[in-house]
Amino acid sequence: DRVVLEYFIEAVNNYPEVAGRKVLKKLCALYALNIIEKNIMFYMTHDYLSDAKANAVRYQVERLSFRLRKHAVALVDAFGIPNEILAAPIAINY
């Protein structure tokens, strides 16, 4: 996860368009916080996070998800996934 995050940060910092970079920074933060949230019990059990900080992580994940919702289509389109695959039954029923 750390290596992926480091490459993600580097790619965001090198992204040429300012507006796109802002969106990607939010997406990068969401990615990092999502990793922490998935492993939150580990961090709490080992006293890396207090209850208050764990709640703050959860709040920020929700906040960033809400803020990024208007960019969801553009972010998915950036992957260049063909419409046939997006319209596949497995994608629709999920």
Side-chain angles (χ1 to χ4, degrees):
D1 290 329
R2 181 187 58 81
V3 173
V4 171
L5 183 58
E6 286 174 356
Y7 278 104
F8 197 164
I9 291 168
E10 182 181 338
V12 169
N13 289 335
N14 292 324
Y15 194 77
E17 183 192 4
V18 175
R21 192 175 321 119
K22 287 181 181 181
V23 172
L24 290 174
K25 281 185 178 184
K26 288 177 187 168
L27 187 62
C28 187
L30 178 60
Y31 171 75
L33 288 168
N34 188 51
I35 292 168
I36 293 169
E37 187 179 37
K38 280 192 331 188
N39 299 295
I40 208 148
M41 290 309 299
F42 170 84
Y43 295 118
M44 292 177 73
T45 302
H46 291 88
D47 293 325
Y48 292 121
L49 282 177
S50 65
D51 288 343
K53 297 233 181 197
N55 287 333
V57 167
R58 290 183 186 110
Y59 172 78
Q60 290 299 324
V61 166
E62 289 178 21
R63 183 177 148 270
L64 285 168
S65 296
F66 182 78
R67 286 186 166 186
L68 284 166
R69 79 191 187 294
K70 61 186 169 194
H71 303 286
V73 172
L75 290 167
V76 172
D77 287 349
F79 284 98
I81 300 169
N83 285 335
E84 311 83 63
I85 295 186
L86 291 175
I90 193 168
I92 295 169
N93 293 324
Y94 182 70

